[in-house]
């Protein structure tokens, strides 16, 4: 392995870890703030460090501090397998985290004639990995529920288990149909396949090529992550908090984080498989690299305008109502951020100018394109996470029997049908 | 009364309802509408900026902090019958009864304390009181203390609270 | 690659499976012991596949995994049925076909 | 060196998991031991360079078998008092181990000798492509038979575990 | 309607309470006849005569006498009830003040008949001046050897003791009277379930009204048929009817049973005072149902007939009310009486009399409502038949009769 | 202040004891004697009577409170008790009462300040034929009119003088 | 008396002929309201609440004055009988002040119960129209009287006149002015006076001792036996655990037992719960210093290991089981065991009814077990005293005191002992009747009984 390969591997691994872990507080914040805004509330907006609130993200860090510092408390009836009780949340967390690690964040970079994957775990069987590792997570939930010695926890874990079994099948069949379509089990290849177009004008994204498969995939992944409307395994209205009932402090936090990591993973998988991954629509990696100057100019033009709008929006909204007496910290924060944003914009513009003006910097351009793709990926990821969140605050929770009914009676036959049709088409068309 | 009954049509029988997707779309539309509007101008949200803005619309039926009422002659109206303590689902009312010496009644509380940390503000005590001696009409909705003991309101504190809606004296017993 | 440690490991696991089947009365443990034995066989197959350098062993192992899955479904269904009958997972509890002793 | 240590760790997990499984009185802990053992087994497959088997092992043994067992354990709500009473468990295990030991040694010897007796022939081990080709060319009959078996097992499982309607379920 | 003088024969004689004057007019003349008979025979004669108790109930006296043990194993007593407190009744007072010796003669015969050697006359506390007259008569009788260890040398001893009450209407009830005679509060006793004599300190005791006892010598002298010559078949003999209220000549006049009420009122009572119209009559002491003028027109003074018209003959003490009388006030007056006189032993009476009085007070003050009147009627229902003695049922009768017959007056009060 | 029965009364009691099956029956006669002797019945008298007839004083006290004619408190020397029951009420009791109140200056239930007169309304005195009627201590005054009241009061005052 | 069958509410019941109908109704648990009737006092027939319908009788009859006859058909339910009961109950409440809020009887008040069962009408009278009497009169002997609440059932007066024969209480006055009182200037004064509080079906007579202490519906009753004397009167321990606090006894009530105490207990026994809760020994003391359990056990072993003659004193109030355990323990230690009964005698206490001069509750049990009763006067090396009051009379070099209450005198080791209410066992009363007392009080930090201490000291686990 060359040095470049090692550097790229380390960078992509770190990137994956960061994307998975740093996303947790942000997602928590997004969930709360999103819920608040959907419900005509403000959500967390008070916690600050030296007056910097970052729109409330700081609250999440405060939460983390709180959860870490909380007293480790065990219910007295959990006396026998305390170590296991403490251990099992991490099974869920680690499984979700590992499953995330096969997602490609950008197209392969060619450095020194060697094609390198921008993928934390550079494997070519990403889909299978995701399916295999993703299935482990439920073991943690079931063990935790059982070891809680609590009827609600038990019910929660039973529900989680049966739901996992119920939705793993349609999920697998949907993925198989995608595998047939893309003719690969490598995520990267899948993304590459999607960079083309179908019917001449539509981006060849999975959602357009395989709409039914895509919907089944999305629904099944919602179910797999125990997110609303499928959150029956913790259904507060019936079984307190399901498998998490007896969990407190950091043990609870690991379950909690596991859920967000799983959500993040699910989003990443959905993006990668049906929304073109890190690709811009219509524009493949090669196009980006070859027409780099044009894109750079476009970005140079769009970015300042976008930032300007953002600054104005921020200044407007990062303040208390006029009727409320303010201590000025919010205005100060907005001012600081305005300068920071302007500075960052200027730096980006400068870099782009440099890249445009130096035609020899092929490597730099490749890196820039990769960064752009990562940015696109993160942007899509955030969008899809937001979608997850908005769904949660829109739809009511299904009843448990409805969930099972949906899984077995609709999704499974539909996915089989989809597989069948896909196979016929693929074989027929060639 | 019968005219006020609103018959809600049953959904879910036709294919459109069974598909759920239109309903989901409608739901998402509402969600997005609120989200976008609020993102665009978060100051338009009518949520109270609480510590700076105080609620001004507390109604008479709002169950605020408790108070003990007085009789016409400023003596305590409570006769320590323990009805509130009996009705209390949180068992947060602590009463010690003692002989009343002023001749107005036989019994009065020596100690009457409410542990507001345990209180669930259900208002059962008010309902249970045969003497109209305890009310929750102070309009006080936040109580701040630095120790657990601060939240145990004693008789004197409860008597010192004023009703937020007038009608100071207890009317049940003279 | 030195195959002996792998062989030893497979043998050990197989023995463990036998021990579990023979000495335990909990139906779940019995069942999982069977699975363990099957897995150890799998391991041997894979080792030989690796040693031979072709995929036949692996294929058999793969097929065996399918058998494991089938077995799991059946065995668990049987356990559910038995539990429903007698509220017990004790393998000694299901001795209705045994010749009755006088005392019973 | 790295491979050896990985093997050692995996072996420890495997044996530990298996022992826990055999040893533990509580079924769920047995299942946990089994889970660990199966994961470690998958690791061993990976160590042997067989990535597809690694994934298949996790998917089936862990994702299906372990989850299903746990699912059944939780669903029938197996409590302490429903567990069989095994007063002589340790003795049983000990004696069985005593009896099994010679057989294991024999087995080990057999395996080693078999290994020494056959030739190392073709190359091309490990890749998914080769596996697929072998599966769908040489072993396609077995593959189909297995799929029929799976189907039969599925039907059988449903029939066995189904509650009688007359139970009032 | 003929003149009849069984009890009141000596009423018009000056100083008839003196022994010598009484003797002149035939006092104690029946004793010899009586002692010639066996006690059992006397009881049979009394039974035959159909003598009815004259204290208000009208129960056959003979049957009561027959309950007394005849074997003489236990000491038995005679208690003469002179606790005459029924408003409108004042006949016993006439007997003990005008002819006490006839009473004593009756007592001696009765004692002989029931094998008793002690008789008590329970006289109401207010009658102290009449008690004094009676006491003097007894003293005289003792002096003459008529009372004491050997009555007139006939070989039978009778002691007579006057026991003064102290102002409790309820002591007119026989068991309450015996309680009072035992020196306790005059609480009526729980009624036995089958007929049996009363008990005084655990001894069988005969309790009879003064007038009943006073009738006995006549029956002994003239035989059962001699007594049956008067009155009707069911109610033989005579009764001292008393009349008071809005009447020209109030007083006590003996008349035989079966006399029409109006005839009695007009002939003895001399008609309504001031020539006004009759409105209502309470026929036999306050505890009987009031009669309207129309009912009074056709009322005949005997036990059976009075019962058929929904009232009772009671003690025969009539209270006449003329057209100006306010019936609400009249009822209020009576309820005050009952409220004051209830002994307070059992609940319906203790609280019911008081509350009906209170409620009627509301009506009278103009603060009442029709509901209050209904409530009074409901109280009457509660008081009727749920108590130890007949005091509360009597109140119930009074309330029902007044409100039932004059409801319009009550409602007029409410609506005024 | 203690209560002692006069010799005469004691003799009477002893004589009466022979007439009754149990001395307990003597509570009423004894109470009468005590009242005649003192004008009212004191608690000491009750104790003495209880001892005399072998009954707990509480029982005597209960008896004394039951009968309205026993006075446990001192009362005016001349006790006017006007009948208020139906016959008397019908025959003009109200007029007589008005007059009495006016003449004596006390309301029913009160005693005059000098302790001479007491006025009360009582229930039926059993003299309805001569209504309205009044009892002054033991004496009955019948067919009352305001004039008759005047006469009675005058004679009483004369006697007193 | 022959056994006959009668029909009540269409069900057949066997009973002795001539039995009072109300006794049968109470025995069979049929609902019948009554105030004046009491098993110990008999019928008085004044409350008129126990009305039943008897076939063949025109009017409803009171069950407390009806003797059972063959073939009697009785109805205790039905609209008619309930309306009668309701109307009479309404009258009971006419002059009642309805001050349940401040009435200690509330919760165990017959008036309340019957109002909920039969009454439930709207009141038609206001306070001003009611007859007013005196409230809160101190009758003496810890009894408070409220004449307004009284329903004049005469239970209390019948108790003082028929049972104690002291005649303190009586109903005076007439009609609705009748009221219960004592003679003016006299007090209720007899050693059984507080039983009238239990007898009173309403709140007229309340205990001054229990006055306002607790509402009765908070109390839990545990059957037990009074430890005041050897009579062994049956009691209920009424106790309650208030939030955050230790469980407390609020009163003793007599528990009917025809063989021992009938329906009553003496006042001294009734108030003995106070002594039970005062001056309690709650800590382990080594030489007067508060110490922990393991230290105390170590100290014990040291003291026992020193050797010499050991004397064990046992309290005759301990349960038989505990005495047996102590006996065994003494045998193991080779110690001399004695339980002098003479120390408990109090000739001034006893009477011929429910008070015994022997004030040790389990004196008979001590005799039965054959425990020596002589107080040794020789000097001994170690004294282990199980709560015996005469522990200080023995001359001992070292002493271990297990005591329920703080005592005079010094001891090398003081261990807290659970009193009778906090442990369970059997007592033998002076008539030889064995009675079991369950554990009533569960302290937050439980104290150990003698048996548990012996187990622990001999090396067991707590």
């Amino acid at each position: 392995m060359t040095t470049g390969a090692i550097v790229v591997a380390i960078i992509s691994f770190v990137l994956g870890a960061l994307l998975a872990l740093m996303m947790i507080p942000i997602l928590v914040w997004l969930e709360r703030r999103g819920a608040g805004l959907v419900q005509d509330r403000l959500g967390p907006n008070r916690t600050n460090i030296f007056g910097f609130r970052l729109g409330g993200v700081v609250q999440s860090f405060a939460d983390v501090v709180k959860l870490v510092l909380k007293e480790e408390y065990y219910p007295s009836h959990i006396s026998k397998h305390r170590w296991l009780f403490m251990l099992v949340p991490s099974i869920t967390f680690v499984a979700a985290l590992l499953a995330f690690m096969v997602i490609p964040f950008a197209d392969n970079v060619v450095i020194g004639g060697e094609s390198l994957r921008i993928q934390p775990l550079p494997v070519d069987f990403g889909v299978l990995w995701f399916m295999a590792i993703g299935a482990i997570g439920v073991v943690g939930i079931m063990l935790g529920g059982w070891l809680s010695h609590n009827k609600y926890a038990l019910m929660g874990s039973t529900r989680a288990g049966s739901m996992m079994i119920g939705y793993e099948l349609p999920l697998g069949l949907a993925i198989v149909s995608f595998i047939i379509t893309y003719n690969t089990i490598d995520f990267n290849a899948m993304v590459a396949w999607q960079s083309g177009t179908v019917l001449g004008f539509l981006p060849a994204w999975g959602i357009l090529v395989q709409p039914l498969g895509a919907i089944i995939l999305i629904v099944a992944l919602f179910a797999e992550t125990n997110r609303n409307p499928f959150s029956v395994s913790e259904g507060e209205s019936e079984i307190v908090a399901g498998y998490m009932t007896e969990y407190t402090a950091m043990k609870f936090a690991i379950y909690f984080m596991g859920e967000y990591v799983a959500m993040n993973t699910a989003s990443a998988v959905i993006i990668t498989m049906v929304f073109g991954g890190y690709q811009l629509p219509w524009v493949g990696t090669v196009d980006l690299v070859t027409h780099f100057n044009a894109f750079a100019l476009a970005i140079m033009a769009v970015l300042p305008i976008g930032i300007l709008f953002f600054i104005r929006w921020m200044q407007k909204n990062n303040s208390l109502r006029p009727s409320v007496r303010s201590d000025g910290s919010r205005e100060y924060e907005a001012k600081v951020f305005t300068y920071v944003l302007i500075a960052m914009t200027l730096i980006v513009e400068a870099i782009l100018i440099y890249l445009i003006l130096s035609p020899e910097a092929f490597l730099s351009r490749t890196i820039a394109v990769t960064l752009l793709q990562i940015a696109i990926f993160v942007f899509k990821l955030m969008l899809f996470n937001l979608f997850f969140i908005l769904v949660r605050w829109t739809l009511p929770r299904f009843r448990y029997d409805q969930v099972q009914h949906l899984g077995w009676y609709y999704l499974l036959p539909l996915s089989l049908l989809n597989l069948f049709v896909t196979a016929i088409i693929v074989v027929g068309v060639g | 009364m019968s005219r006020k009954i609103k018959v809600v049509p049953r959904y879910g029988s036709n294919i459109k309802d069974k598909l759920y997707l239109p309903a989901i779309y409608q739901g998402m539309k509402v969600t997005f509408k609120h989200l976008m509007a609020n993102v665009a101008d978060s100051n338009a949200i009518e949520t109270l900026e609480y510590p700076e803005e105080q609620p001004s619309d507390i109604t008479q039926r709002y169950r605020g902090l408790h108070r003990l009422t007085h009789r016409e002659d400023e003596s305590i109206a409570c006769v320590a019958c323990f009805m509130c303590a009996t009705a209390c689902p949180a068992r947060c009312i602590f009463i010690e009864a003692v002989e009343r010496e002023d001749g107005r009644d036989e019994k009065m509380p020596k100690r009457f304390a409410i542990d507001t940390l345990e209180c669930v503000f259900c208002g059962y005590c008010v309902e249970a009181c045969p003497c109209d001696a305890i009310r929750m009409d102070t309009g006080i909705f936040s109580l701040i203390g630095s120790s657990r003991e601060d939240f145990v309101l004693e008789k004197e504190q409860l008597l010192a609270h004023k009703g937020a809606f007038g009608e100071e004296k207890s009317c049940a017993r003279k | 690659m030195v195959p002996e440690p792998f062989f030893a490991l497979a043998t050990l696991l197989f023995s463990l499976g036998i021990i579990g089947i023979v000495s335990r009365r909990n139906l779940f443990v019995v069942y999982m012991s069977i699975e363990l034995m099957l897995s150890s066989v799998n391991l041997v197959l894979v080792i030989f596949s690796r040693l031979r350098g072709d995929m036949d062993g692996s294929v058999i192992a793969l097929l065996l995994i399918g058998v494991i899955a089938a077995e799991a479904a059946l065995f668990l269904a049987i356990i559910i049925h038995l539990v429903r009958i007698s509220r017990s997972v004790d393998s000694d509890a299901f001795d209705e076909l045994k010749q009755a002793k006088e005392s019973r | 060196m790295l491979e050896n240590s990985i093997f050692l760790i995996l072996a420890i997990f495997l044996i530990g998991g298996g022992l826990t499984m055999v040893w533990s009185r509580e079924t769920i802990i047995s299942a946990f031991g089994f889970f660990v053992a199966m994961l470690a087994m998958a690791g061993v497959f990976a160590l042997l360079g067989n990535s597809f088997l690694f994934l298949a092992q996790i998917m089936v043994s862990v994702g299906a078998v372990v989850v299903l067992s746990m699912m059944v354990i939780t669903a029938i709500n197996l409590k302490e008092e429903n567990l069989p009473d095994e007063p002589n468990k340790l003795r049983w295990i000990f004696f069985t181990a005593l009896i099994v030991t010679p057989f294991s040694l024999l087995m080990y010897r057999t395996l080693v000798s078999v290994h020494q007796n056959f030739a190392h022939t073709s190359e091309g081990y490990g890749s998914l492509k080769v596996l697929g080709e072998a599966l769908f060319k040489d072993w396609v009959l077995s593959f189909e038979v297995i799929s029929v078996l799976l189907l039969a097992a599925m039907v059988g499982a449903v029939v066995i575990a189904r509650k009688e309607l007359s139970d009032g379920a | 309607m003929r003149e009849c003088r069984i009890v009141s024969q000596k009423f018009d004689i000056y100083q008839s309470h003196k022994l010598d004057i009484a003797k002149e007019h035939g006092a104690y003349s029946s004793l010899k006849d009586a002692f010639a008979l066996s006690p059992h025979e006397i009881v049979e004669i009394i039974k035959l005569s159909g003598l009815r108790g004259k204290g208000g109930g009208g129960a056959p006296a003979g049957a009561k006498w027959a309950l007394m043990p005849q074997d003489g194993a236990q000491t038995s007593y005679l208690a003469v009830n002179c606790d005459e407190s029924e408003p409108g009744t004042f006949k016993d007072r006439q007997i003990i003040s005008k002819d006490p010796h006839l009473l004593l003669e009756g007592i001696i015969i009765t004692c002989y008949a029931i094998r008793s050697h002690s008789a008590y006359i329970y006289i109401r506390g207010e009658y102290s001046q009449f008690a004094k007259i009676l006491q003097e008569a007894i003293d005289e009788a003792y002096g003459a050897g008529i009372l004491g260890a050997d009555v007139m040398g006939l070989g039978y001893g009778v002691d007579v003791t006057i026991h003064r009450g102290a102002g409790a209407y309820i002591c007119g009830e026989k068991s309450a009277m015996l309680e009072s005679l035992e020196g306790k509060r005059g609480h009526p006793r729980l009624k036995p379930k089958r007929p049996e004599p009363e008990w005084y300190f655990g001894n069988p005791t005969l309790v009879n009204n003064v007038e009943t006892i006073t009738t006995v010598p006549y029956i002994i002298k003239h035989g059962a048929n001699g007594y049956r010559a008067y009155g009707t078949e069911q109610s033989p003999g005579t009764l001292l009817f008393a009349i008071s209220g809005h009447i020209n000549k109030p007083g006590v006049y003996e008349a035989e049973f079966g006399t029409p009420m109006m005839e009695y009122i007009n002939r003895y009572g001399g008609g309504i005072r001031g020539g006004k119209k009759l409105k209502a009559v309470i026929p036999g002491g306050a505890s009987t149902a009031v009669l309207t003028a129309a009912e009074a027109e056709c009322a005949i003074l005997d036990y059976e007939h009075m019962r058929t018209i929904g009232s009772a003959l009671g003690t025969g003490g009539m209270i006449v009310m003329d057209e100006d009388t306010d019936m609400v006030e009249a009822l209020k007056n009576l309820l005050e009486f009952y409220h004051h006189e209830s002994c307070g032993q059992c609940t319906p009476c203790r609280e019911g009399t008081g509350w009906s009085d209170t409620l009627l007070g509301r009506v009278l003050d103009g603060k009442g409502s029709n509901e209050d009147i209904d409530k009074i009627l409901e109280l009457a229902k509660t008081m009727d038949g749920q108590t130890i003695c007949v005091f509360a049922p009597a109140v119930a009768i009074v309330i029902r009769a007044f409100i039932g017959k004059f409801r319009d007056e009550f409602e007029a009060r409410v609506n005024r | 202040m203690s209560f002692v029965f006069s010799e005469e009364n004691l003799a009477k009691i002893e004589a009466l004891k022979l007439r009754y099956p149990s001395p307990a029956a003597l509570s009423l006669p004894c109470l009468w004697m005590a009242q005649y002797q003192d004008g009212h019945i004191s608690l000491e008298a009750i104790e003495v009577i209880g001892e005399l007839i072998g009954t707990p004083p509480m029982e005597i006290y209960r008896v004394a409170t039951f009968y309205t004619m026993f006075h446990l408190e001192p009362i005016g020397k001349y006790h006017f008790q006007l009948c208020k029951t139906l016959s008397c009420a019908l025959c003009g009791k109200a007029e007589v009462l008005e007059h009495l109140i006016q003449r004596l200056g006390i309301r029913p239930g009160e005693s005059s300040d000098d302790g001479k007169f007491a006025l009360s309304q009582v229930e039926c005195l059993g003299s309805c034929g001569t209504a309205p009627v009044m009892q002054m201590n033991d004496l009955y005054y019948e067919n009352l009119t305001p004039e008759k009241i005047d006469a009675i009061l005058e004679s009483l005052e004369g006697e007193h003088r | 008396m022959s056994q006959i069958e009668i029909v009540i509410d269409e069900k057949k019941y066997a009973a002795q002929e001539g039995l009072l109908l109300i006794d049968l109704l109470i025995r069979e648990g049929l609902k019948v309201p009554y105030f004046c009737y009491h098993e110990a006092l008999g019928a008085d027939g004044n409350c008129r609440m126990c009305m039943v319908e008897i076939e063949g009788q025109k009017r409803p009859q009171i069950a407390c004055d009806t003797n059972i006859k063959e073939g009697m058909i009785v109805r205790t339910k039905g609209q008619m009988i309930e309306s009668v009961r309701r109307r009479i109950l309404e009258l009971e409440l006419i002059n009642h002040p309805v001050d349940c809020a401040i009435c200690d009887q509330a919760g165990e008040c017959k008036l309340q119960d019957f109002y909920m069962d039969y009454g439930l009408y709207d009141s038609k009278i206001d306070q001003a129209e009611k007859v007013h009497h005196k409230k809160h009169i101190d009758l003496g002997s810890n009894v408070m009287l409220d004449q307004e609440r009284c329903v004049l059932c005469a239970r209390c007066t019948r108790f003082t006149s028929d049972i104690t024969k002291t005649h303190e209480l009586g109903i005076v006055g007439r009609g609705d002015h009748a009221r219960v009182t004592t003679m003016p200037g006299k007090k209720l004064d007899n050693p059984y006076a507080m039983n009238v509080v239990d007898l009173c079906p309403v709140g007229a007579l309340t205990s001054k001792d229990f006055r306002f202490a607790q509402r009765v519906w908070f109390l839990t009753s545990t059957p037990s036996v009074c430890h005041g004397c050897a009579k062994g009167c049956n009691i209920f321990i009424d106790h309650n655990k208030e939030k955050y606090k230790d469980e407390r006894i609020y009163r003793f009530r007599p528990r009917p037992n025809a063989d021992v105490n009938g329906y009553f207990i003496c006042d001294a026994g009734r108030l003995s719960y106070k002594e039970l809760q005062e001056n309690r020994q709650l800590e382990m003391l080594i030489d007067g210093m508060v110490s922990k359990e393991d230290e105390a056990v170590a100290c014990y072993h040291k003291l026992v290991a020193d050797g010499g003659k050991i004397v064990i004193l046992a309290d005759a109030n301990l349960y038989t089981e505990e005495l047996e355990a102590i006996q065994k323990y003494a045998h193991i230690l080779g110690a001399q065991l004695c339980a002098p009964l003479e120390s408990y005698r109090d000739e001034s206490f006893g009477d011929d009814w429910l008070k015994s001069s022997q004030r040790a509750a389990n004196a008979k049990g001590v005799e039965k077990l054959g425990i020596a009763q002589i107080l040794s006067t020789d000097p001994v090396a170690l004294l282990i005293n199980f709560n015996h009051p005469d522990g200080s009379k023995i001359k001992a070099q070292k002493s271990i005191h297990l005591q329920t209450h703080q005592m005079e005198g010094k001891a090398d080791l003081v261990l807290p002992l659970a009193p009778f209410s906090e442990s369970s066992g059997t007592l033998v009363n002076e008539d030889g009747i064995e009675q079991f007392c369950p554990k009533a009080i569960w302290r937050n930090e439980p104290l150990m009984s003698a048996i548990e201490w012996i187990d622990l000291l001999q090396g067991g686990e707590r």
Side-chain angles (χ1 to χ4, degrees), chain G residues 133-334:
Chain G
H133 291 303
K134 278 193 198 155
K135 294 175 83 76
H136 49 102
I137 304 165
D138 190 350
L139 282 185
S141 289
N142 272 322
V143 178
M144 294 292 283
L145 170 66
D146 187 321
Q147 291 175 336
E148 287 188 356
R149 293 179 191 152
C150 179
V151 293
L152 294 167
C153 67
R155 278 188 187 180
C156 50
T157 64
R158 281 183 283 154
F159 178 77
T160 55
S161 59
D162 299 351
I163 298 207
T164 62
K165 306 233 177 353
T166 45
H167 297 276
E168 290 108 339
L169 291 173
I171 295 177
V172 304
R174 198 164 85 183
D176 54 10
H177 290 274
R179 64 211 175 271
V180 169
T181 184
T182 53
M183 279 280 279
K186 295 272 175 63
K187 292 280 180 197
L188 183 60
D189 176 30
N190 69 63
Y192 298 94
M194 286 176 80
N195 284 307
V196 297
V197 174
D198 300 319
L199 285 171
C200 187
V202 296
L205 292 166
T206 48
S207 158
K208 202 173 169 190
D209 172 61
F210 182 64
R211 189 167 166 86
F212 303 156
Q214 191 57 271
R215 300 314 304 239
V216 294
W217 55 83
F218 293 124
L219 297 177
T220 316
S221 289
T222 308
S224 190
V225 173
C226 175
H227 274 55
C229 70
K231 183 74 189 172
C233 295
N234 288 207
I235 53 167
F236 281 115
I237 299 181
D238 283 356
H239 50 96
N240 178 32
K241 189 190 174 321
E242 273 182 72
K243 209 172 188 178
Y244 309 135
K245 290 184 189 162
D246 240 335
E247 190 143 28
R248 242 192 83 189
I249 301 175
Y250 284 92
R251 60 176 179 182
F252 284 171
R253 274 189 306 135
R255 178 160 58 98
N257 184 341
D259 296 336
V260 183
N261 58 323
Y263 294 85
F264 308 109
I265 55 171
C266 66
D267 285 4
R270 185 187 292 265
L271 296 174
S272 62
Y273 79 93
K274 283 187 181 166
E275 297 156 25
L276 194 61
Q277 299 191 122
E278 282 163 5
N279 268 336
R280 286 289 298 278
Q281 180 72 43
L282 295 173
E283 269 118 13
M284 297 169 212
L285 306 175
I286 299 175
D287 291 331
M289 304 294 284
V290 178
S291 62
K292 291 205 185 87
E293 185 180 296
D294 45 354
E295 294 167 0
V297 172
C299 174
Y300 161 81
H301 285 298
K302 210 181 88 208
L303 285 172
V304 171
D306 283 350
K309 188 187 174 192
I310 303 178
V311 166
I312 298 181
L313 264 182
D315 184 11
N317 281 308
L318 292 172
Y319 291 121
T320 310
E321 290 86 344
E322 291 175 311
L323 289 172
E324 274 171 357
I326 293 171
Q327 223 174 1
K328 266 187 211 154
Y329 171 60
H331 185 73
I332 291 167
L333 283 185

Side-chain angles (χ1 to χ4, degrees), chain B residues 79 81-83 86 90-91 94 96-99 105-107 115 118 130, chain G residues 99 101-102 135-136 146 149 211-212 214-215 217-218 241 243-245:
Chain B
V79 295
C81 71
F82 285 70
M83 283 298 144
T86 308
R91 298 194 62 188
F94 304 93
E96 278 169 42
V98 76
E99 187 90 38
D105 238 320
E106 284 178 61
K107 200 177 174 187
D115 189 342
E118 302 230 356
Chain G
D99 53 353
I102 52 170
K135 294 175 83 76
H136 49 102
D146 187 321
R149 293 179 191 152
R211 189 167 166 86
F212 303 156
Q214 191 57 271
R215 300 314 304 239
W217 55 83
F218 293 124
K241 189 190 174 321
K243 209 172 188 178
Y244 309 135
K245 290 184 189 162

